[in-house]
Amino acid sequence: LKPIDSADLITAVAKVARLLPVKEENPNVKNLLYNSKLPAEQHKIAVPNRDGFDFLDVKDILYFKANGSYTDIVLNSGKKLLLSKSLGETELLLPAELFERVHHSSIANVSHVKQFMRSGGTFLVMTNGDELSVSKSKKEQLMRRLGIR
C-alpha cells in the first residue's frame, strides 16, 4: 500500500460528494467526511447494536479480525464486538495513520503493537497479549511502518 496524502483524499471525497446526486444522505459517507477533518486519534466509528449504535474511539480498538462475512472488533478494555461488515468494508472506514492490514484476515492498530516476533512464523503481539499472524506479502510494509526496516 502506498501512503495517502490526507489533503488529497479529503478533496477527492468532497468532490465525489458534490458530484453524486444523493437521494438520501448516506451515513457512511457522512461519517467519512466528518472523520476526515479530525486528527486520526479522534476518529470514531459507529457499530450497530440491538438498540442503535455504539460510537467507538478508534484509538481504543486493538485490532479487527475477519469472521466470515462479519468482523470481530477487539477493544483494549477486553470487550469484543461483532460488526456486520466484511473486513474489507471495515478497512475503508479506518484512518490509515493508525491501522495496518497485516494479513488477509486482520487489521492491527499499530499504536497497540507490543512486539514483532519472527520465531515460529511472523506475528504481532498486541498490548493485551493476543497474537496476530503477519502474512509474507504484508511483512515488509509492516516492518517499514513500525520503523524496523
Side-chain angles (χ1 to χ4, degrees), residues 1-122:
L1 296 173
K2 295 182 179 181
I4 297 172
D5 179 25
S6 59
D8 288 346
L9 178 61
I10 291 168
T11 303
V13 170
K15 183 178 179 180
V16 168
R18 275 194 324 270
L19 295 176
L20 285 178
V22 179
K23 292 179 183 158
E24 60 183 63
E25 204 165 301
N26 184 326
N28 289 337
V29 172
K30 187 176 180 178
N31 187 41
L32 180 63
L33 288 170
Y34 175 75
N35 278 333
S36 67
K37 298 172 187 168
L38 296 173
E41 61 277 355
Q42 291 180 12
H43 288 204
K44 291 183 181 261
I45 61 169
V47 178
N49 63 33
R50 272 183 245 142
D51 304 316
F53 291 88
D54 290 323
F55 290 92
L56 305 177
D57 289 320
V58 292
K59 65 180 172 37
D60 295 332
I61 299 170
L62 294 175
Y63 62 89
F64 296 87
K65 190 93 171 155
N67 184 354
S69 58
Y70 295 92
T71 300
D72 290 324
I73 304 172
V74 179
L75 305 175
N76 60 6
S77 66
K79 191 174 181 182
K80 192 174 182 181
L81 302 171
L82 184 66
L83 182 60
S84 60
K85 293 183 182 297
S86 70
L87 191 63
E89 291 174 282
T90 303
E91 186 175 18
L92 298 174
L93 303 174
L94 302 174
E97 299 88 17
L98 293 179
F99 292 92
E100 186 75 32
R101 185 77 173 247
V102 297
H103 195 273
H104 74 275
S105 65
S106 56
I107 299 170
N109 184 334
V110 293
S111 63
H112 287 285
V113 173
K114 183 174 160 183
Q115 290 180 297
F116 181 91
M117 304 296 288
R118 289 187 282 200
S119 59
T122 307

